[in-house]
Structure formats: structure tokens, C-alpha cells
Amino acid sequence: MKEPIGFERLSGLIAFARAGSLGSYRAAARSLSVSPSAISKSIQRLERHFGVSLFTRTTRSLTLTPEGRDLHERALQLLRQAEEIEQVAKSARSEPAGTLRIAAPLPIGLHLIAPLITAFRKRHPKVLIDLRLSDQIVDLVEERIDLAIRIGELADSSLLSRRLLPYTLGCYASPEYLARCGTPQHPDELVGHETVNLRYQSSGKALRWPFRIGDKEVEILPSSPVIVDASEAVLAAMAAGAGIGIAASFMAAPRVQRHELIPVLSEFAVERHNITAVWPESRRTNPAVRAFLEMLIELHD
């Protein structure tokens, strides 16, 4: 007869699954809202029960032992099933409630998601928002993310998805800069202007500027005296008069409305349709996810 699994051992398996995925007790503790010492003690009890070491520990790293690797995927399955049970229970409520965890790149989080939060919570006051902003793509299941907003082509086809608003990628400059240096009428004239460009943190490469010229899209890599690795810094530098830069329309719009920036070369701007909301299959029926998606679609369709 099989021995029934106890609460202590079950909590140890959950701690083991999360620590193995995230690579540290501290990260596992944050994701489970407990202390690192609680994670450590739960895993130690589990190791004593199994009679094997699950991790090789040093002061700087935590790696799975061969025995730990064999057991980790099974522990992850248990964790995923537990989360699915939680989601099914939540979906039984008709009113959105609980914590909604949203992940997004910093620019999208600042300009698209954060401005919606107040209006969303007025409609659904029982929902708490946990917004996580990072340019790194996170694993939605392991990080317990309910909804993520991504920009670019999707690589993970296992996620449910919905395309969001189109936007334009175009040039801007401050009124002061244009009064001082003039306004270019064609992308070829950028060679005679000061420009501000973005360097991607992930690759270290500078952004190539796309333009629609006739029926073709061409790219230009300006020789910029100012290069920064955050899109918000591009906007700030442009507004301060550093030169012409390129930005997404949803990011530049507030500064355009405040007359800090003026669109330049608008007839050559390109349109993009690559902002996508994604969520795990287990969140399909989550009322809070559905409600937030509805607001995104309602405001940006």
C-alpha cells in the first residue's frame, strides 16, 4: 500500500521544483512568498526522506545533482498541475479577483500597460496588479505569470496569443533642434543632422532605422554621436535637443502632445503589427486575464 504524501513533503516538492528552475533558494522564496530559510529547510527534509542529495551547493551557485535532475521534471509537473487546479478554481468565480501578474518590456509597460491600471481597477477593484517590467523574456509557467505583452515575432507556439494595436516607427526631434538645424525632407538628408540612436542591450548592436520609400522598406544606420541602451533615454535626449531619433508612436505620443517633440519624415514612417499579448493555456478561463485582455483590445483596436 502506498504511503499517503504529507503536507510537509508536498511543500518540499514545490520548493524543490521552483528552486531547481530558478537556480537559487532566494529566487524560489520570492516567487513563493516565503523566506529563503523556509525553502532550504523544506528541501533538506525532502533530501532526508529520499535519502539523496538534490542539489550541489556552493556560495555562488545551486546546481541539480544527477539524482535531482531525474526528479526535477516530475516535481515541475506536480507544480504545474497544482497551478492549473488553482486557475480552475479561480475561473469558477464570475467576478475577476485575486492577483493578476503581468510581464512586459519596459517601454510597453510604461506607455501601454501602466496607464490602463487605474481604469481597470475601477472596473474590477478585487483584482490586484503585479506588473513586472523587463526586456528579458520570462517563462510564464515557471514565473507564474498570468499575461505577458511581447514585441516582435513569437517563438513559443504553446502559448495562447492575441495581436494588439499597430503602431508606427518614425522620426522625432525637439522644436529647439529643428529651429536650430532645420527639418530634413528625406531620409537621405539625415547624414547632415545630429542623431540619437538605440543600442540593443541583448545584442549590443545599434538599431537600423526603417523607412518606407516608394513601395520598398529600406534601412539606414545613422552615424550617431549619441547612442544609448534604453528607449526612454532616446526620448529624453531628443526632447533635450540632442538631435533626431526614431521611436514607436505610442512612446512618443505623450511628448508630442506636450510639444516636447515634433514628428519628422512622417511620410516615410513604417507601420508595425508585432505587439502581442500571450498567456498560458492554464489561464484561458481566468476571469482577470480575460477582463484585462478585453480592456487592451477595447482601447487599442
Side-chain angles (χ1 to χ4, degrees):
M1 182 177 177
K2 291 183 179 180
E3 177 188 356
I5 189 168
F7 173 79
E8 194 172 83
R9 208 178 314 153
L10 185 60
S11 62
L13 285 168
I14 292 172
F16 166 55
R18 193 55 56 80
S21 295
L22 299 179
S24 79
Y25 287 170
R26 188 172 298 278
R30 281 198 303 268
S31 71
L32 294 172
S33 301
V34 298
S35 67
S37 63
I39 295 290
S40 177
K41 289 175 183 176
S42 290
I43 292 175
Q44 287 174 7
R45 286 193 292 266
L46 195 65
E47 288 178 321
R48 286 196 297 269
H49 176 78
F50 288 159
V52 297
S53 294
L54 299 172
F55 292 108
T56 299
R57 305 167 182 84
T58 69
T59 55
R60 293 186 177 181
S61 66
L62 184 72
T63 56
L64 289 162
T65 63
E67 295 83 3
R69 281 195 298 272
D70 290 341
L71 295 172
H72 185 249
E73 182 55 39
R74 295 177 183 273
L76 270 181
Q77 291 175 9
L78 175 67
L79 181 59
R80 289 166 185 155
Q81 289 169 354
E83 290 180 343
E84 287 177 7
I85 291 171
E86 182 181 23
Q87 292 302 315
V88 170
K90 285 181 179 179
S91 69
R93 299 193 297 257
S94 59
E95 182 181 4
T99 299
L100 178 63
R101 297 176 180 86
I102 305 171
L106 180 62
I108 291 176
L110 286 177
H111 296 283
L112 295 183
I113 306 303
L116 293 183
I117 289 175
T118 300
F120 178 78
R121 294 205 67 251
K122 283 181 179 177
R123 288 188 192 179
H124 308 290
K126 293 184 180 180
V127 178
L128 307 179
I129 301 294
D130 181 349
L131 178 58
R132 307 177 186 193
L133 303 182
S134 171
D135 289 332
Q136 303 299 316
I137 294 180
V138 298
D139 186 303
L140 272 60
V141 175
E142 291 186 3
E143 296 290 332
R144 301 176 66 200
I145 300 298
D146 301 302
L147 179 68
I149 313 300
R150 292 180 176 170
I151 188 165
E153 296 307 311
L154 297 180
D156 190 346
S157 60
S158 68
L159 298 172
L160 303 177
S161 64
R162 169 66 188 255
R163 290 282 187 185
L164 299 179
L165 78 164
Y167 62 96
T168 58
L169 200 56
C171 289
Y172 300 86
S174 70
E176 179 272 331
Y177 174 84
L178 295 176
R180 176 165 49 89
C181 300
T183 302
Q185 302 301 312
H186 191 278
D188 290 344
E189 297 177 21
L190 287 171
V191 70
H193 282 267
E194 299 286 296
T195 55
V196 181
N197 202 8
L198 174 72
R199 178 191 296 113
Y200 291 110
Q201 293 182 9
S202 57
S203 66
K205 295 181 179 179
L207 171 65
R208 300 182 68 88
W209 295 13
F211 294 98
R212 174 65 60 181
I213 300 177
D215 60 352
K216 293 183 180 179
E217 184 174 307
V218 301
E219 291 184 342
I220 294 175
L221 182 59
S223 179
S224 301
V226 179
I227 301 179
V228 299
D229 66 356
S231 53
E232 287 300 309
V234 173
L235 292 170
M238 287 192 295
I244 298 172
I246 195 166
S249 54
F250 65 84
M251 294 176 56
R255 291 184 183 269
V256 171
Q257 291 169 1
R258 296 194 299 265
H259 307 291
E260 296 174 8
L261 292 177
I262 295 175
V264 176
L265 301 171
S266 299
E267 64 185 285
F268 302 100
V270 298
E271 189 170 89
R272 293 286 185 257
H273 299 78
N274 60 356
I275 297 179
T276 309
V278 296
W279 60 100
E281 172 69 33
S282 61
R283 299 325 194 248
R284 179 192 289 273
T285 57
N286 183 300
V289 170
R290 289 204 309 268
F292 201 86
L293 277 170
E294 286 169 5
M295 177 166 277
L296 281 172
I297 295 163
E298 170 188 322
L299 293 181
H300 298 304
D301 255 3

